[in-house]
Amino acid sequence: QVQLVESGGGLVQAGGSLRLSCAASGISFSIYAMAWYRQAPGKQRELVASITSGGTTTYTDSVKGRFTISKDNAKNMVHLEMNSLKPEDTAVYYCNRKYYAGYWGQGTQVTVSS
């Protein structure tokens, strides 16, 4: 069964950095593209970054140049390195498959203060 456990969130000042981690079980990284999503209060969940089984990455325009998605196939982990954080990055961050993402974990809260 799919299990997704996000960690690494917290309270950080604008301009700071955080590294989010996702422990994923029941998902084969050699088959599925993985992704990070976020949902801010009053807003829809949005795709932030993705990485294919082959390592190709994509990012939403608002985080390009600041965020980096990576994965460790051996450990079944997905990471999101976030730099130059802005208050508008405040949200609950989730990891999941980019496609067929029917199950969601608890997410990890990222709060960026001015």
Side-chain angles (χ1 to χ4, degrees):
Q1 302 282 33
V2 173
Q3 288 189 312
L4 300 161
V5 181
E6 300 93 343
S7 62
L11 177 63
V12 65
Q13 293 181 319
S17 299
L18 284 173
R19 180 178 170 85
L20 306 185
S21 297
C22 171
S25 62
I27 300 174
S28 175
F29 288 0
S30 66
I31 297 174
Y32 296 101
M34 298 298 295
W36 283 94
Y37 301 81
R38 68 185 180 188
Q39 187 165 28
K43 298 182 179 179
Q44 296 184 73
R45 183 173 58 227
E46 67 170 336
L47 178 66
V48 176
S50 67
I51 183 166
T52 69
S53 60
T56 300
T57 60
T58 64
Y59 302 91
T60 191
D61 287 345
S62 63
V63 308
K64 287 180 180 177
R66 300 189 297 119
F67 291 11
T68 303
I69 187 173
S70 62
K71 63 176 182 175
D72 185 332
N73 290 352
K75 296 181 179 180
N76 250 53
M77 297 283 289
V78 188
H79 303 282
L80 186 68
E81 183 72 35
M82 305 185 294
N83 299 310
S84 302
L85 283 163
K86 304 175 180 179
E88 53 262 44
D89 295 319
T90 295
V92 178
Y93 284 71
Y94 303 88
C95 68
N96 214 321
R97 288 177 286 205
K98 186 176 182 180
Y99 308 101
Y100 304 103
Y103 172 86
W104 297 88
Q106 82 286 353
T108 185
Q109 175 72 50
V110 172
T111 303
V112 184
S113 62
S114 300

